[in-house]
PDB file of all heavy atoms in Angstrom:
ATOM      1  N   GLU K 138     183.137  83.543 137.728  1.00  0.00           N
ATOM      2  CA  GLU K 138     182.477  83.993 136.498  1.00  0.00           C
ATOM      3  C   GLU K 138     181.459  85.090 136.828  1.00  0.00           C
ATOM      4  O   GLU K 138     180.438  84.830 137.474  1.00  0.00           O
ATOM      5  CB  GLU K 138     181.787  82.807 135.813  1.00  0.00           C
ATOM      6  CG  GLU K 138     180.912  83.156 134.642  1.00  0.00           C
ATOM      7  CD  GLU K 138     181.626  83.942 133.554  1.00  0.00           C
ATOM      8  OE1 GLU K 138     182.510  83.370 132.910  1.00  0.00           O
ATOM      9  OE2 GLU K 138     181.285  85.134 133.366  1.00  0.00           O
ATOM     10  N   GLU K 139     181.726  86.288 136.373  1.00  0.00           N
ATOM     11  CA  GLU K 139     180.894  87.426 136.758  1.00  0.00           C
ATOM     12  C   GLU K 139     179.480  87.367 136.188  1.00  0.00           C
ATOM     13  O   GLU K 139     178.565  87.996 136.716  1.00  0.00           O
ATOM     14  CB  GLU K 139     181.566  88.731 136.319  1.00  0.00           C
ATOM     15  CG  GLU K 139     182.822  89.038 137.127  1.00  0.00           C
ATOM     16  CD  GLU K 139     183.463  90.345 136.700  1.00  0.00           C
ATOM     17  OE1 GLU K 139     182.931  90.986 135.771  1.00  0.00           O
ATOM     18  OE2 GLU K 139     184.494  90.712 137.299  1.00  0.00           O
ATOM     19  N   ARG K 140     179.313  86.642 135.119  1.00  0.00           N
ATOM     20  CA  ARG K 140     177.976  86.586 134.510  1.00  0.00           C
ATOM     21  C   ARG K 140     177.057  85.584 135.204  1.00  0.00           C
ATOM     22  O   ARG K 140     175.866  85.558 134.950  1.00  0.00           O
ATOM     23  CB  ARG K 140     178.095  86.261 133.023  1.00  0.00           C
ATOM     24  CG  ARG K 140     178.747  87.376 132.239  1.00  0.00           C
ATOM     25  CD  ARG K 140     178.903  87.002 130.777  1.00  0.00           C
ATOM     26  NE  ARG K 140     179.629  88.027 130.055  1.00  0.00           N
ATOM     27  CZ  ARG K 140     180.950  88.101 129.984  1.00  0.00           C
ATOM     28  NH1 ARG K 140     181.679  87.196 130.593  1.00  0.00           N
ATOM     29  NH2 ARG K 140     181.545  89.056 129.317  1.00  0.00           N
ATOM     30  N   VAL K 141     177.635  84.755 136.035  1.00  0.00           N
ATOM     31  CA  VAL K 141     176.810  83.822 136.804  1.00  0.00           C
ATOM     32  C   VAL K 141     176.094  84.607 137.898  1.00  0.00           C
ATOM     33  O   VAL K 141     176.718  85.451 138.558  1.00  0.00           O
ATOM     34  CB  VAL K 141     177.701  82.719 137.431  1.00  0.00           C
ATOM     35  CG1 VAL K 141     176.881  81.819 138.349  1.00  0.00           C
ATOM     36  CG2 VAL K 141     178.372  81.896 136.343  1.00  0.00           C
ATOM     37  N   PRO K 142     174.811  84.375 138.097  1.00  0.00           N
ATOM     38  CA  PRO K 142     174.101  85.084 139.171  1.00  0.00           C
ATOM     39  C   PRO K 142     174.819  84.931 140.507  1.00  0.00           C
ATOM     40  O   PRO K 142     175.313  83.841 140.821  1.00  0.00           O
ATOM     41  CB  PRO K 142     172.724  84.396 139.189  1.00  0.00           C
ATOM     42  CG  PRO K 142     172.565  83.847 137.825  1.00  0.00           C
ATOM     43  CD  PRO K 142     173.936  83.462 137.358  1.00  0.00           C
ATOM     44  N   GLU K 143     174.835  85.996 141.265  1.00  0.00           N
ATOM     45  CA  GLU K 143     175.614  86.027 142.503  1.00  0.00           C
ATOM     46  C   GLU K 143     175.209  84.899 143.455  1.00  0.00           C
ATOM     47  O   GLU K 143     176.060  84.298 144.118  1.00  0.00           O
ATOM     48  CB  GLU K 143     175.449  87.392 143.184  1.00  0.00           C
ATOM     49  CG  GLU K 143     176.159  87.525 144.524  1.00  0.00           C
ATOM     50  CD  GLU K 143     177.654  87.149 144.477  1.00  0.00           C
ATOM     51  OE1 GLU K 143     178.296  87.359 143.434  1.00  0.00           O
ATOM     52  OE2 GLU K 143     178.160  86.629 145.499  1.00  0.00           O
ATOM     53  N   VAL K 144     173.945  84.598 143.501  1.00  0.00           N
ATOM     54  CA  VAL K 144     173.486  83.563 144.435  1.00  0.00           C
ATOM     55  C   VAL K 144     174.087  82.202 144.075  1.00  0.00           C
ATOM     56  O   VAL K 144     174.411  81.385 144.956  1.00  0.00           O
ATOM     57  CB  VAL K 144     171.935  83.533 144.475  1.00  0.00           C
ATOM     58  CG1 VAL K 144     171.345  83.116 143.133  1.00  0.00           C
ATOM     59  CG2 VAL K 144     171.415  82.645 145.578  1.00  0.00           C
ATOM     60  N   LEU K 145     174.293  81.961 142.792  1.00  0.00           N
ATOM     61  CA  LEU K 145     174.933  80.708 142.357  1.00  0.00           C
ATOM     62  C   LEU K 145     176.433  80.741 142.632  1.00  0.00           C
ATOM     63  O   LEU K 145     177.028  79.729 143.016  1.00  0.00           O
ATOM     64  CB  LEU K 145     174.705  80.500 140.854  1.00  0.00           C
ATOM     65  CG  LEU K 145     173.567  79.589 140.398  1.00  0.00           C
ATOM     66  CD1 LEU K 145     173.617  79.397 138.895  1.00  0.00           C
ATOM     67  CD2 LEU K 145     173.616  78.234 141.097  1.00  0.00           C
ATOM     68  N   ARG K 146     177.018  81.889 142.430  1.00  0.00           N
ATOM     69  CA  ARG K 146     178.461  82.016 142.678  1.00  0.00           C
ATOM     70  C   ARG K 146     178.750  81.791 144.163  1.00  0.00           C
ATOM     71  O   ARG K 146     179.722  81.135 144.526  1.00  0.00           O
ATOM     72  CB  ARG K 146     178.949  83.404 142.253  1.00  0.00           C
ATOM     73  CG  ARG K 146     178.841  83.643 140.756  1.00  0.00           C
ATOM     74  CD  ARG K 146     179.183  85.070 140.400  1.00  0.00           C
ATOM     75  NE  ARG K 146     180.582  85.395 140.664  1.00  0.00           N
ATOM     76  CZ  ARG K 146     181.082  86.626 140.624  1.00  0.00           C
ATOM     77  NH1 ARG K 146     180.285  87.646 140.350  1.00  0.00           N
ATOM     78  NH2 ARG K 146     182.348  86.839 140.867  1.00  0.00           N
ATOM     79  N   ARG K 147     177.867  82.341 144.993  1.00  0.00           N
ATOM     80  CA  ARG K 147     178.057  82.168 146.442  1.00  0.00           C
ATOM     81  C   ARG K 147     177.939  80.686 146.815  1.00  0.00           C
ATOM     82  O   ARG K 147     178.711  80.168 147.615  1.00  0.00           O
ATOM     83  CB  ARG K 147     177.004  83.009 147.178  1.00  0.00           C
ATOM     84  CG  ARG K 147     177.289  83.154 148.673  1.00  0.00           C
ATOM     85  CD  ARG K 147     176.492  84.274 149.309  1.00  0.00           C
ATOM     86  NE  ARG K 147     175.064  84.155 149.076  1.00  0.00           N
ATOM     87  CZ  ARG K 147     174.325  85.057 148.431  1.00  0.00           C
ATOM     88  NH1 ARG K 147     174.892  86.132 147.937  1.00  0.00           N
ATOM     89  NH2 ARG K 147     173.031  84.878 148.282  1.00  0.00           N
ATOM     90  N   LEU K 148     176.979  80.039 146.208  1.00  0.00           N
ATOM     91  CA  LEU K 148     176.794  78.611 146.464  1.00  0.00           C
ATOM     92  C   LEU K 148     178.039  77.830 146.036  1.00  0.00           C
ATOM     93  O   LEU K 148     178.482  76.908 146.736  1.00  0.00           O
ATOM     94  CB  LEU K 148     175.565  78.121 145.670  1.00  0.00           C
ATOM     95  CG  LEU K 148     174.995  76.751 145.996  1.00  0.00           C
ATOM     96  CD1 LEU K 148     174.509  76.690 147.446  1.00  0.00           C
ATOM     97  CD2 LEU K 148     173.836  76.427 145.047  1.00  0.00           C
ATOM     98  N   ALA K 149     178.586  78.205 144.896  1.00  0.00           N
ATOM     99  CA  ALA K 149     179.794  77.538 144.404  1.00  0.00           C
ATOM    100  C   ALA K 149     180.955  77.735 145.376  1.00  0.00           C
ATOM    101  O   ALA K 149     181.709  76.795 145.659  1.00  0.00           O
ATOM    102  CB  ALA K 149     180.158  78.081 143.015  1.00  0.00           C
TER     103      ALA K 149
END
Side-chain angles (χ1 to χ4, degrees):
Chain K
E138 172 56 68
E139 290 181 359
R140 293 178 185 85
V141 174
E143 177 53 32
V144 65
L145 262 186
R146 295 174 66 190
R147 193 164 54 241
L148 193 62

